Amino acid sequence: MSEVSNGKPRVLSGIQPSGNLTIGNYLGALKQWVEVQRDYDCFYCVVDLHAITAAQDPEELRQKTRESAAIYIASGIDPELSTIFVQSHIPAHSELAWMLTCMAPLGWLNRMTQFKDKAGKQAQESIGAGLLNYPSLMAADILLYHADLVPVGDDQNQHLEFTRDLAQRFNHRYGETFTLPSVMNPQAGARIMGLDRPTAKMSKSDESEHHAVYLLDDLTRARKKIMRAVTDSQREIRFSDDAERAGVNNLLTIYQAITNKRPDEIEAHFAGKGYGDLKRAVADCVVDTLEPLQARYNELMNEDGYLDSVLKIGREKAAAIAEATLKLAQDRMGFLAPS
Ligand code: AQP
């Protein structure tokens, strides 16, 4: 049931406004979103319903939601080409999520590594049920739009598999209803690691000061964080899967993802150079990426009414598609239509 609009297959993706967006979010998600928007009918949402799977301060959540939408545009998402909206503005996400939650086996949910990682950091009695059900909501986000492709960092691949399995289960039980989506990871940057702990994924909710470069970091501060990144006691600058060399590998990956150069070209470029040279080169290309993004972001936040109008148009476009899919799924499941 893939829906093709203007002859283009459809893309859907989102980011949680659960903190300050990082260069991990940019390289794993936003950069690919921009790259596909001419060839696909793209829907990009700020997934605030996902953000509340961890406690959020209400005022901060509201502010981060607007901030995230502005960052999407400042990163190069063109509202004329792509549909940008806020997840909670479309009630169909919550409604379909409940229907899918009722079909999701507990065994599948319990196997999700993101759940195990996040739940593992909390006392058993304080783990919210939303954290466990997160993948059913993500499945609803994707299936409502009959998305063909979902561009994400590789930490989300297991949730994509879950979405496909759940869609198949629904289609098998109630008849063809949902499109099975495919995952799309970037060639480089699918998993950017913490600058202070290069064996852990860079996360916007990590509280350590030198863990992540945020997209809205002051440029001097961003540069400092990279110059302080953990490396190792060796000298050679080359890509490696060795855990002990994770810091250098991470810096090279950031460089590769931003410059789009080949690994062999990059290794040749740094041959005979030191870690200080590598860090300076990474800091330069990160700052060159952040500078125009921040300038555009500041303009957008000062442009009265523009962001709200983008989100209003996005909501209307998204709602029309989401509501039609929800109605179909409700009908298939046997809900009595209101007269
Ligand atoms: N470190 C990363 N490297 C590459 N891609 C990443 N993404 C996140 N971190 C990295 C990608 O960014 C998109 C949005 O992620 P999300 O906000 O929905 O949730 P997340 O994956 O849990 O990201 P965070 O930053 O770690 O958030 P918190 O700390 O709130 O849990 C996704 O495409 C993700 O793959």
Side-chain angles (χ1 to χ4, degrees):
M1 287 276 297
S2 172
E3 275 202 6
V4 175
S5 161
N6 306 327
K8 293 175 180 175
R10 191 166 285 154
V11 155
L12 180 125
S13 199
I15 297 180
Q16 305 180 67
S18 47
N20 297 313
L21 269 57
T22 70
I23 54 165
N25 297 128
Y26 177 79
L27 297 172
L30 286 163
K31 188 166 178 277
Q32 335 181 56
W33 295 6
V34 174
E35 285 163 2
V36 297
Q37 65 180 339
R38 289 193 179 277
D39 298 327
Y40 291 85
D41 181 26
C42 296
F43 286 73
Y44 297 128
C45 52
V46 181
V47 289
D48 51 351
L49 295 170
H50 282 281
I52 61 163
T53 53
Q56 303 294 338
D57 172 79
E59 257 331 298
E60 208 168 308
L61 178 61
R62 238 184 302 279
Q63 189 196 325
K64 294 287 173 210
T65 302
R66 292 190 99 248
E67 195 177 294
S68 301
I71 288 178
Y72 290 7
I73 302 171
S75 299
I77 306 297
D78 180 351
E80 300 286 323
L81 293 172
S82 301
T83 305
I84 302 171
F85 66 101
V86 175
Q87 184 189 29
S88 67
H89 290 179
I90 317 281
H93 287 252
S94 307
E95 295 181 54
L96 184 62
W98 173 248
M99 292 155 67
L100 295 177
T101 294
C102 294
M103 294 196 62
L106 205 49
W108 294 6
L109 290 164
N110 270 320
R111 271 202 296 278
M112 296 293 119
T113 33
Q114 189 180 75
F115 170 69
K116 287 194 271 189
D117 286 351
K118 292 194 174 181
K121 292 178 189 157
Q122 300 176 32
Q124 180 75 22
E125 62 277 9
S126 65
I127 301 165
L131 202 56
L132 180 70
N133 286 318
Y134 182 112
S136 303
L137 176 58
M138 182 163 157
D141 301 337
I142 297 165
L143 300 178
L144 277 174
Y145 298 89
H146 298 289
D148 299 284
L149 203 63
V150 183
V152 282
D154 72 6
D155 62 319
Q156 296 299 330
N157 291 3
Q158 197 184 24
H159 291 162
L160 247 294
E161 270 310 308
F162 173 93
T163 300
R164 288 175 61 90
D165 291 344
L166 205 51
Q168 261 170 326
R169 184 173 251 245
F170 191 104
N171 288 350
H172 181 70
R173 194 175 296 173
Y174 298 112
E176 279 302 304
T177 306
F178 297 124
T179 303
L180 300 193
S182 300
V183 70
M184 180 188 183
N185 296 138
Q187 279 194 339
R191 184 175 294 238
I192 301 298
M193 311 306 278
L195 296 173
D196 58 343
R197 265 176 301 125
T199 46
K201 187 191 79 130
M202 182 182 283
S203 256
K204 66 174 105 64
S205 56
D206 192 292
E207 281 169 10
S208 139
E209 204 188 327
H210 300 287
H211 173 78
V213 170
Y214 301 117
L215 297 178
L216 300 181
D217 259 348
D218 167 82
L219 298 180
T220 311
R221 192 175 155 76
R223 185 178 287 281
K224 266 196 195 142
K225 287 181 180 175
I226 292 167
M227 295 309 291
R228 288 187 53 142
V230 167
T231 50
D232 54 52
S233 56
Q234 299 185 36
R235 299 174 69 91
E236 208 184 356
I237 300 178
R238 59 176 172 77
F239 288 92
S240 164
D241 292 335
D242 186 345
E244 284 174 16
R245 310 224 59 208
V248 170
N249 192 64
N250 192 38
L251 290 170
L252 284 169
T253 303
I254 295 170
Y255 186 81
Q256 184 193 3
I258 293 180
T259 62
N260 296 318
K261 289 186 179 155
R262 291 192 318 272
D264 61 321
E265 263 182 278
I266 295 171
E267 288 179 351
H269 175 76
F270 288 111
K273 295 192 175 144
Y275 287 172
D277 300 307
L278 171 64
K279 287 180 174 178
R280 266 187 296 280
V282 174
D284 285 347
C285 67
V286 167
V287 164
D288 286 350
T289 303
L290 298 192
E291 205 167 14
L293 186 157
Q294 292 182 5
R296 181 72 185 117
Y297 170 84
N298 289 327
E299 276 172 18
L300 285 162
M301 292 306 265
N302 290 319
E303 220 170 305
D304 238 7
Y306 176 69
L307 199 56
D308 295 322
S309 79
V310 168
L311 293 177
K312 182 170 182 285
I313 293 167
R315 173 166 63 89
E316 284 162 4
K317 229 181 126 188
I321 297 166
E323 282 164 15
T325 313
L326 176 68
K327 217 163 151 245
L328 176 68
Q330 287 173 326
D331 182 56
R332 293 270 157 87
M333 260 190 152
F335 293 168
L336 178 67
S339 50

